[in-house]
Amino acid sequence: MLVTGGLGFVGSHVCVALAEAGYDIVALDNLANARLSVLARLREIAGRRISFVRADVRDGRALAQVFRRRPVAAVLHFAGLKAVHESVAQPLEYYDTNVGGTLTLLRAMRQHDVRRLVFSSSCTVYGAPESLPLTETHPLRPANPYGRTKMIAEGLIADCAAAWPELKYALLRYFNPVGAHPSGRIGEDPLGVPNNLFPYIAQVAVGRRAKLNVWGGDYDTQDGTGVRDYIHVMDLAAGHVAALARLESQPESFTVNLGTGRGYSVLEVVKTFERVCGRPIPYEIRERRAGDLAQSWADATLAERLLGWRARYGLEDMCRDAWRWQSLNPDGYPERPVSAAETRRRRSRRRS
Ligand SMILES: NC(=O)c1ccc[n+]([C@@H]2O[C@H](COP(=O)([O-])OP(=O)(O)OC[C@H]3O[C@@H](n4cnc5c(N)ncnc54)[C@H](O)[C@@H]3O)[C@@H](O)[C@H]2O)c1
């Protein structure tokens, strides 16, 4: 298996699940948002060799080299940029990486006859829900550049499969992945100020941030705060293994939501996290942020029907594992991302 973005938050957890399922893995990552130390931890948890290639998914030559060197039965494509607000300020980077990267990957797969693709899509492709829960047939009206890059990449993959029918794909629309591997060795380690609720709460709990800003306390929800479908990253990882198994056993493409099918409000998450970590999480209710939704959750029944998969973990498990990761690694992974130049310097130092 080739896992692009394999050292990132979701990709690293999927590598563990794939290794446990007996797959050989090559992880490819340009370390734009990951640390090299993830690799050693991955190998330690997975208990088997995971090869690593430091490369950009937009680099067709690097992909060709990977495909020439070893047999690759399928690609799981996680490499991408994912911050909604950043995508508004930097649309070119988002289109280049998320759409351009997928295009380059598809071209290399076609050239080397790699016929299976599992793609990380997102519930942001739906935009504001017309009805809840969100089913896969809900219209796609993404409200930001990030969501549009995911929608376009989905269309690009489907168009390629129409022209090259041997290509079979799974488009997995994630809801909100949270939590961490139960060992506490790998987890979510955002650069700078976290964009997402869980890592923010975890950093408040561990004392790295003073308080949580809750954006909007007057939504039409049970307690006025936003409601989202959070899914434990280990459940999400199991969903990828199930998707791959389905592509192997029944070569037909499909699109499914990966969520739990229920939503939790921000304050429910805060209270549960407080209970799990035994510390108060100070928070302040602030004005709503433009573009944020009141509530969103998945209809997760299609995934269950097609893949025989459903989420097993609840909110308490998500908070417990997020807290274990954060408390064992208060400052995240030990090193900051290593630049390509620094990697070259280290290599030549080792050689001399
Ligand atoms: N985490 C979420 O909330 C969420 C929700 C829905 C969908 N997704 C999608 O899932 C995928 C993985 O998300 P994540 O949370 O693990 O993010 P992440 O940033 O932790 O992982 C992405 C990985 O891709 C790498 N990468 C980025 N650009 C690259 C490039 N050009 N070439 C090679 N590697 C590159 C990064 O270094 C990182 O390791 C992304 O495509 C994201 O859009 C994530």
Side-chain angles (χ1 to χ4, degrees):
M1 300 294 124
L2 171 64
V3 183
T4 75
L7 300 196
F9 171 46
V10 182
S12 58
H13 289 79
V14 173
C15 282
V16 173
L18 289 172
E20 277 168 7
Y23 291 105
D24 286 329
I25 300 160
V26 183
L28 177 144
D29 205 298
N30 70 352
L31 302 186
N33 195 31
R35 281 69 162 161
L36 204 50
S37 57
V38 176
L39 186 60
R41 294 185 178 203
L42 261 185
R43 288 174 175 158
E44 160 203 314
I45 300 169
R48 62 191 288 149
R49 185 162 169 71
I50 294 176
S51 307
F52 175 64
V53 177
R54 180 175 185 168
D56 197 295
V57 75
R58 292 163 296 181
D59 179 350
R61 282 217 295 229
L63 293 175
Q65 221 172 47
V66 172
F67 291 140
R68 269 200 302 268
R69 276 199 187 148
R70 61 209 111 202
V72 173
V75 179
L76 293 97
H77 179 35
F78 299 92
L81 303 177
K82 64 166 180 177
V84 167
H85 294 280
E86 190 181 65
S87 78
V88 176
Q90 301 174 17
L92 289 175
E93 282 77 0
Y94 273 70
Y95 279 88
D96 192 22
T97 299
N98 294 0
V99 179
T102 305
L103 189 146
T104 305
L105 176 65
L106 284 163
R107 188 176 283 139
M109 288 175 67
R110 179 77 179 98
Q111 277 163 358
H112 295 85
D113 201 28
V114 179
R115 300 174 170 194
R116 299 288 178 270
L117 176 62
V118 177
F119 176 63
S120 302
S121 190
S122 163
C123 62
T124 50
V125 296
Y126 296 121
E130 281 176 5
S131 56
L132 286 167
L134 284 159
T135 63
E136 290 80 357
T137 53
H138 185 282
L140 304 187
R141 293 201 197 95
N144 50 65
Y146 168 69
R148 282 189 282 277
T149 63
K150 288 289 175 186
M151 183 182 75
I152 292 169
E154 283 193 0
L156 177 60
I157 294 166
D159 284 344
C160 288
W164 175 34
E166 289 79 17
L167 175 67
K168 303 295 177 199
Y169 61 83
L171 305 179
L172 306 182
R173 294 181 179 152
Y174 312 161
F175 278 65
N176 299 272
V178 299
H181 188 269
S183 64
R185 296 291 286 156
I186 56 171
E188 187 171 12
D189 182 20
L191 286 176
V193 182
N195 289 307
N196 295 332
L197 180 65
F198 265 71
Y200 207 110
I201 292 182
Q203 290 190 8
V204 172
V206 86
R208 270 171 73 181
R209 301 193 183 273
K211 66 172 183 342
L212 171 75
N213 292 312
V214 177
W215 305 106
D218 56 355
Y219 285 112
D220 186 15
T221 60
Q222 70 263 32
D223 58 24
T225 64
V227 168
R228 296 288 178 278
D229 184 337
Y230 297 99
I231 175 168
H232 197 298
V233 67
M234 295 309 294
D235 272 332
L236 196 62
H240 286 71
V241 176
L244 206 51
R246 165 91 188 189
L247 283 180
E248 284 166 359
S249 66
Q250 266 167 284
E252 268 167 35
S253 301
F254 59 89
T255 302
V256 291
N257 289 333
L258 291 183
T260 63
R262 73 153 289 183
Y264 296 100
S265 75
V266 175
L267 292 186
E268 271 181 284
V269 177
V270 169
K271 296 298 159 212
T272 309
F273 211 103
E274 282 181 331
R275 210 168 47 244
V276 163
C277 74
R279 301 175 180 193
I281 309 287
Y283 67 86
E284 190 181 328
I285 307 270
R286 308 279 300 272
E287 288 292 297
R288 296 180 185 192
R289 281 188 308 196
D292 278 354
L293 303 173
Q295 43 190 356
S296 152
W297 64 88
D299 181 325
T301 53
L302 182 61
E304 183 161 8
R305 211 164 62 242
L306 281 186
L307 311 179
W309 167 93
R310 67 191 297 182
R312 296 163 47 211
Y313 298 112
L315 183 57
E316 188 122 352
D317 305 304
M318 303 180 208
C319 293
R320 185 198 58 230
D321 290 335
W323 175 237
R324 184 180 301 110
W325 152 254
Q326 192 69 64
S327 52
L328 290 174
N329 306 271
D331 297 315
Y333 287 108
E335 90 283 23
R336 308 320 298 163
V338 187
S339 70
E342 178 56 24
T343 308
R344 277 195 298 277
R345 266 197 299 278
R346 286 184 191 177
R347 249 192 234 133
S348 73
R349 267 205 302 270
R350 248 181 279 141
R351 266 189 238 117
S352 60

